[in-house]
Amino acid sequence: NAGVTQTPKFQVLKTGQSMTLQCAQDMNHNSMYWYRQDPGMGLRLIYYSASEGTTDKGEVPNGYNVSRLNKREFSLRLESAAPSQTSVYFCASSTRGNQPQHFGDGTRLSIL
Amino acid sequence: QKEVEQNSGPLSVPEGAIASLNCTYSDRGSQSFFWYRQYSGKSPELIMFIYSNGDKEDGRFTAQLNKASQYVSLLIRDSQPSDSATYLCAVVTNAGGTSYGKLTFGQGTILTVHP
């Protein structure tokens, strides 16, 4: 019962470094999402992929890029990390956009 | 006006009581409504979803939807200390009839159930 798997679980970066957050789901879902969660700001959508081969910007896309590698995998890349990107990042998936989303355990990212 | 607003917390109820969590949304085109529970340091967990006006019951949980009033609520009966968590209301609006619907979360209500 893996569901949505995110790696890594924790990461500390220095300003300017780059990294990729990985996400994979085994539920044969079409849609996948990346959110960030900050205290007082709730969950905010960064990017989403409605189906394999498509990606679109969400509410807070600046500073991020994504790749929908195949139906199972959706990665989030920080090209040049900034302290403002310190957050908890969640990946989620759903069968379609109006169906319930299932979340991974999250990646806790700190940028110094 | 925020797209999805939840009643301000934190909410504290005694064990065994009914906890009532409320949520209003601004877009009349909203079609799907979800309640997530999030324990501290954990990811959101889906506990209820509702698409039609009226009540939907699942165990101790009841979701209520009133589209005319743009209001959705979650009732937790016989509240237990293990129900202590942040509850997130989430609303989907289909964007132009595409398969993707934007999911917007409320800020969350912190519930504490004390013995």
Side-chain angles (χ1 to χ4, degrees), chain A residues 41-43 59, chain B residues 1-8 22-28 30-36 70-73 87-93 102-109:
Chain A
M41 300 296 291
L43 278 158
E59 182 183 355
Chain B
Q1 181 186 5
K2 293 180 180 178
E3 292 186 60
V4 179
E5 291 199 56
Q6 296 186 236
N7 52 327
S8 58
N22 304 315
C23 176
T24 58
Y25 57 95
S26 60
D27 191 335
R28 286 193 172 275
S30 300
Q31 299 180 3
S32 305
F33 307 86
F34 308 97
W35 283 99
Y36 286 83
Q70 295 175 240
Y71 176 94
V72 58
S73 66
Y87 288 81
L88 302 168
C89 172
V91 177
V92 175
T93 301
K102 176 187 174 184
L103 183 65
T104 302
F105 286 84
Q107 296 292 90
T109 300

Side-chain angles (χ1 to χ4, degrees), chain B residues 5-113:
Chain B
E5 291 199 56
Q6 296 186 236
N7 52 327
S8 58
L11 177 66
S12 181
V13 301
E15 184 174 358
I18 296 175
S20 177
L21 304 161
N22 304 315
C23 176
T24 58
Y25 57 95
S26 60
D27 191 335
R28 286 193 172 275
S30 300
Q31 299 180 3
S32 305
F33 307 86
F34 308 97
W35 283 99
Y36 286 83
R37 176 177 62 198
Q38 187 174 25
Y39 292 114
S40 181
K42 301 296 186 181
S43 61
E45 172 193 11
L46 179 72
I47 54 173
M48 289 288 287
F49 60 90
I50 186 167
Y51 301 135
S52 303
N53 276 329
D55 295 359
K56 179 181 180 181
E57 186 174 319
D58 184 1
R60 295 186 296 112
F61 299 99
T62 299
Q64 299 174 317
L65 175 61
N66 184 325
K67 290 187 178 180
S69 300
Q70 295 175 240
Y71 176 94
V72 58
S73 66
L74 179 70
L75 300 178
I76 306 174
R77 292 182 300 281
D78 188 24
S79 295
Q80 300 297 308
S82 59
D83 294 326
S84 298
T86 297
Y87 288 81
L88 302 168
C89 172
V91 177
V92 175
T93 301
N94 275 354
T98 65
S99 63
Y100 172 71
K102 176 187 174 184
L103 183 65
T104 302
F105 286 84
Q107 296 292 90
T109 300
I110 299 172
L111 172 67
T112 301
V113 181

Side-chain angles (χ1 to χ4, degrees), chain A residues 44-59:
Chain A
R44 293 181 292 171
L45 182 66
I46 305 170
Y47 270 93
Y48 68 96
S49 172
S51 60
E52 186 178 358
T54 69
T55 60
D56 284 287
K57 296 178 180 179
E59 182 183 355

Side-chain angles (χ1 to χ4, degrees), chain A residues 6-31:
Chain A
Q6 291 184 236
T7 56
K9 295 189 184 304
F10 302 92
Q11 185 70 50
V12 179
L13 293 177
K14 294 181 179 179
T15 297
Q17 288 185 317
S18 62
M19 81 160 295
T20 300
L21 280 59
Q22 306 287 352
C23 176
Q25 53 90 10
D26 62 3
M27 295 176 284
N28 200 35
H29 285 170
N30 293 307
S31 302

